[in-house]
Structure formats: structure tokens, C-alpha cells
């Protein structure tokens, strides 16, 4: 309906602006884009917009006019994500595509330690996590065809240059892990020798 359509239009614009403001991408104008298509077509992927009705943790804390009408029983907000088609990544087989995840035993041990010590437990979520990391590390530049140019307000024939490990790239989880590892160590945390995803501050 028109109400939900407008909320998703705003979500798309917010997502696009966030990518630009974080320096994750830059728009290549049509003339330069044409040269890139002629000389580096193998470095161009497709991209798409992913739209989700995201459930709200506490609907009482948000403006009622921002709640989607398409989900009457579960209050949801419009969420859009710009995603590179990583399955078309020309460097797919030459970049690190794996990233460590915490072991179940480590997670349970952490909960037990928190309980035994009567510590307060905190949870943190990184907004636009992948683009918070470092610059893209590839031998050659990487580009995407923009989806739905009209929605994004982009001129016909333009391209998107990827400057950071955006959503969809196969090495994005690994790059984020490397970025967090460096950040935690700079704060004095030490990774456990039993599980590199468990950081301790002595």
C-alpha cells in the first residue's frame, strides 16, 4: 500500500546515504563508467536491494507512523540493504572467505563465568558492521551495476565502485573479524589460546 511503499522508499534512501557517508562506495559517472565497461568488464558485478519487514523490539518507543501496515500482528519497520552479488565476485577463489565463530563451549563458559562472578552482561550491535571496517584490499578495483537507478536517484549508465567490504562480498566476514581483532587488541584485550573469538581483559 502507499504507506508501506513510502516507508521502504525512505529505508532505501537511508541505506544508500549510509553507504556513501561511510566511504563504502562511490558513484562513477556515465562517461568514466563506459570506459570501465569497455576495459574492465570482468571486474563488474551485479547488485540488488534486499527489503525486509524487521520486527521491532519495543514498538512503544517508535513513532507509530513508521510501523508497517503489512504486518498487523507483529510491529515491524521497513529495512533495506544494498547487497553486492558476491557469487559474481571475480576474486572469489583468491580472497579469504572464512571467519572464526565462537565455539559453543566457550560461549557456555562465558555465561558461567558471568553468573559465578555476578557480573553485568552487555550486548553490542554494530550498525552497518561490514562497512565499519578497513578499505577494500584487492589487486584491482571492483565495481557493481546499481539496481533500480531511479529509486536511488542515479543517472543512467553510471557504475558503483566498491571501496570497502560491503555486504555480499565473500571476504566481508573475514575482513570485519580482522578489523575487530585489531581494535580489541589496541584496547588491551587478549584472545584466548583456546578460542580466538574469546577476548579477555586482565
Amino acid at each position: 500500500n502507499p504507506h508501506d511503499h513510502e516507508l521502504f522508499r525512505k529505508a532505501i534512501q537511508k541505506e544508500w546515504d549510509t553507504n556513501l557517508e561511510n566511504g563504502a562506495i562511490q558513484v562513477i559517472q556515465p562517461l568514466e563508467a563506459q570506459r570501465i565497461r569497455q576495459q574492465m568488464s570482468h571486474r563488474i558485478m551485479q547488485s540488488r536491494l534486499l527489503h525486509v519487514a524487521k520486527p521491532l523490539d519495543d514498538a512503544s518507543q517508535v513513532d507509530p507512523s513508521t510501523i508497517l501496515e503489512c504486518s498487523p500482528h507483529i510491529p515491524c519497520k521497513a529495512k533495506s540493504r544494498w547487497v553486492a552479488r558476491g557469487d559474481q565476485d571475480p576474486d572469489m577463489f583468491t580472497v579469504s572467505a572464512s571467519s572464526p565463530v565462537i565455539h559453543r563451549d566457550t560461549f557456555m563458559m562465558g555465561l558461567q563465568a558471568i553468573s559465578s562472578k555476578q557480573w553485568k552482561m552487555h550486548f553490542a550491535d554494530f550498525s552497518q558492521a561490514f562497512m565499519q571496517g578497513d578499505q577494500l584490499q584487492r589487486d584491482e578495483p571492483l565495481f557493481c551495476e546499481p539496481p533500480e537507478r531511479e529509486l536511488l536517484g542515479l543517472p543512467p549508465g553510471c557504475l558503483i565502485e566498491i571501496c570497502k567490504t560491503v555486504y555480499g562480498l565473500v571476504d566481508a566476514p573475514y575482513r570485519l573479524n580482522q578489523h575487530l581483532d585489531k581494535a580489541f587488541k589496541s584496547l588491551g584485550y587478549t584472545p584466548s589460546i583456546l578460542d580466538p573469538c574469546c577476548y579477555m581483559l586482565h
Side-chain angles (χ1 to χ4, degrees):
N1 61 40
H3 174 266
D4 288 3
H5 185 274
E6 178 62 18
L7 291 181
F8 273 108
R9 190 192 65 77
K10 289 179 179 177
I12 291 167
Q13 194 60 54
K14 178 183 177 184
E15 168 73 2
W16 187 246
D17 291 344
T18 302
N19 275 275
L20 290 171
E21 289 164 8
N22 279 306
I25 58 172
Q26 66 175 1
V27 177
I28 306 295
Q29 295 304 313
L31 193 62
E32 176 64 11
Q34 183 180 3
R35 183 190 67 80
I36 293 169
R37 286 190 182 94
Q38 291 171 348
Q39 299 177 5
M40 305 178 70
S41 60
H42 64 290
R43 304 294 300 172
I44 302 174
M45 301 180 290
Q46 298 298 313
S47 66
R48 67 190 185 108
L49 287 166
L50 176 67
H51 309 297
V52 178
K54 186 176 181 180
L56 293 164
D57 295 327
D58 187 359
S60 65
Q61 299 295 317
V62 300
D63 181 351
S65 66
T66 63
I67 296 177
L68 293 168
E69 294 177 356
C70 64
S71 180
H73 304 299
I74 303 174
C76 295
K77 70 174 183 177
K79 175 76 176 177
S80 293
R81 176 83 73 202
W82 178 74
V83 184
R85 284 281 306 272
D87 60 304
Q88 299 175 348
D89 190 336
D91 304 321
M92 185 187 303
F93 300 111
T94 59
V95 295
S96 297
S98 62
S99 182
V101 282
I102 193 166
H103 193 275
R104 183 179 181 278
D105 289 346
T106 309
F107 182 68
M108 300 306 289
M109 181 193 71
L111 292 178
Q112 182 61 62
I114 290 167
S115 178
S116 298
K117 297 284 189 179
Q118 297 185 331
W119 290 340
K120 289 183 179 179
M121 184 166 66
H122 298 271
F123 173 80
D125 183 24
F126 290 89
S127 177
Q128 302 284 354
F130 288 162
M131 68 180 68
Q132 302 294 337
D134 303 321
Q135 295 295 309
L136 188 71
Q137 296 180 19
R138 303 292 181 93
D139 293 333
E140 295 181 90
L142 199 56
F143 306 93
C144 272
E145 292 284 357
E148 306 178 62
R149 286 181 172 83
E150 299 77 17
L151 271 176
L152 299 173
L154 298 174
C158 68
L159 273 176
I160 301 168
E161 182 175 2
I162 299 176
C163 305
K164 291 186 176 182
T165 46
V166 297
Y167 286 91
L169 295 185
V170 293
D171 58 335
Y174 173 79
R175 291 294 173 197
L176 177 62
N177 177 269
Q178 295 295 295
H179 178 75
L180 289 175
D181 180 72
K182 189 164 55 177
F184 286 142
K185 287 176 178 175
S186 72
L187 295 171
Y189 286 84
T190 307
S192 167
I193 59 172
L194 301 177
D195 189 336
C197 288
C198 177
Y199 290 83
M200 296 173 287
L201 184 64
H202 296 280

